[in-house]
Amino acid sequence: MGLKQLLMVFRAVMLQPRLFWKNFRDGGVYEAFDPLRDYAVAIIALVQLVKFPLIGEPRPAMIYALFNFILDIVILYLLSGIFNTVASRMKDGSGAACMQVIPCFALTPFWLVEPFFFAGFWGWFFAASGIFYTLVLFRLALLKCTGPDERLVTRTLFALQFAPAGAMVLAVFLQRAVIQLISR
């Protein structure tokens, strides 16, 4: 996926999530790429590169960026596994395929605010806003991907909100701890 396509998908995920998930579920435009490799890893890597000039010192910036990259990938795979398990219970094939990639796109706001986690009080504000918007994207994605399977929506939608919320809160505290360790 080229930079232009990456930015188009990024824009759709962040600014038009309902339309993005409807189009993703229906296929077409988004069938030609692997969301994990072409989108998620690219966004995570770009965000880690932004941290170098913000931190200013090469060694702490490298340690922090590597730790965050690994943590983001672990969270992504963990949530993808959880959503894959839920998708395996779905009757609708296109909805199941859509469910498997929800974390690849819905975690975008959280990844974008990571460079600001070390900004003192404002870091907590950015973390909270990133977590909130990520949960909104997860909810929209779940509603669009589950479609007519109302029983699945009512039973697991509320429970599925806890997995990303818990993972992101844990990530914020781990990242803040690493910031404290490397700033000494």
Side-chain angles (χ1 to χ4, degrees), residues 12-72:
V13 167
M14 293 296 289
L15 302 176
Q16 302 168 332
R18 292 177 200 267
L19 180 62
F20 171 79
W21 285 110
K22 181 186 175 297
N23 291 340
F24 193 88
R25 181 185 166 105
D26 296 340
V29 179
Y30 302 113
E31 283 189 29
F33 74 99
D34 176 25
L36 186 63
R37 185 190 71 215
D38 293 338
Y39 181 78
V41 173
I43 294 291
I44 293 170
L46 286 173
V47 168
Q48 302 314 319
L49 290 175
V50 168
K51 292 176 185 173
F52 283 93
L54 291 176
I55 293 175
E57 297 179 39
R59 184 178 172 101
M62 177 71 94
I63 292 169
Y64 185 59
L66 283 173
F67 175 78
N68 284 351
F69 183 79
I70 292 169
L71 184 63
D72 288 342

Side-chain angles (χ1 to χ4, degrees), residues 134-152:
T134 299
L135 291 176
V136 168
L137 290 181
F138 268 104
R139 181 165 175 79
L140 287 172
L142 287 169
L143 290 173
K144 291 292 182 184
C145 289
T146 52
D149 198 354
E150 294 295 328
R151 188 174 55 87
L152 179 71

Side-chain angles (χ1 to χ4, degrees), residues 9-181:
V9 172
F10 172 77
R11 187 180 136 278
V13 167
M14 293 296 289
L15 302 176
Q16 302 168 332
R18 292 177 200 267
L19 180 62
F20 171 79
W21 285 110
K22 181 186 175 297
N23 291 340
F24 193 88
R25 181 185 166 105
D26 296 340
V29 179
Y30 302 113
E31 283 189 29
F33 74 99
D34 176 25
L36 186 63
R37 185 190 71 215
D38 293 338
Y39 181 78
V41 173
I43 294 291
I44 293 170
L46 286 173
V47 168
Q48 302 314 319
L49 290 175
V50 168
K51 292 176 185 173
F52 283 93
L54 291 176
I55 293 175
E57 297 179 39
R59 184 178 172 101
M62 177 71 94
I63 292 169
Y64 185 59
L66 283 173
F67 175 78
N68 284 351
F69 183 79
I70 292 169
L71 184 63
D72 288 342
I73 296 296
V74 166
I75 290 171
L76 178 62
Y77 274 99
L78 175 72
L79 292 176
S80 294
I82 291 169
F83 280 80
N84 191 20
T85 303
V86 172
S88 67
R89 297 181 186 154
M90 293 180 69
K91 297 175 188 98
D92 184 16
S94 64
C98 182
M99 284 286 289
Q100 295 172 351
V101 297
I102 287 176
C104 294
F105 298 108
L107 285 168
T108 302
F110 183 72
W111 296 328
L112 290 180
V113 297
E114 278 184 359
F116 305 106
F117 285 178
F118 60 88
F121 168 76
W122 288 104
W124 291 108
F125 173 75
F126 281 110
S129 63
I131 290 171
F132 176 74
Y133 193 54
T134 299
L135 291 176
V136 168
L137 290 181
F138 268 104
R139 181 165 175 79
L140 287 172
L142 287 169
L143 290 173
K144 291 292 182 184
C145 289
T146 52
D149 198 354
E150 294 295 328
R151 188 174 55 87
L152 179 71
V153 172
T154 57
R155 202 172 64 204
T156 61
L157 180 62
F158 186 72
L160 278 175
Q161 295 287 323
F162 286 111
M168 288 182 292
V169 168
L170 180 63
V172 168
F173 281 111
L174 287 173
Q175 290 174 6
R176 297 287 293 195
V178 168
I179 291 168
Q180 293 299 320
L181 286 174

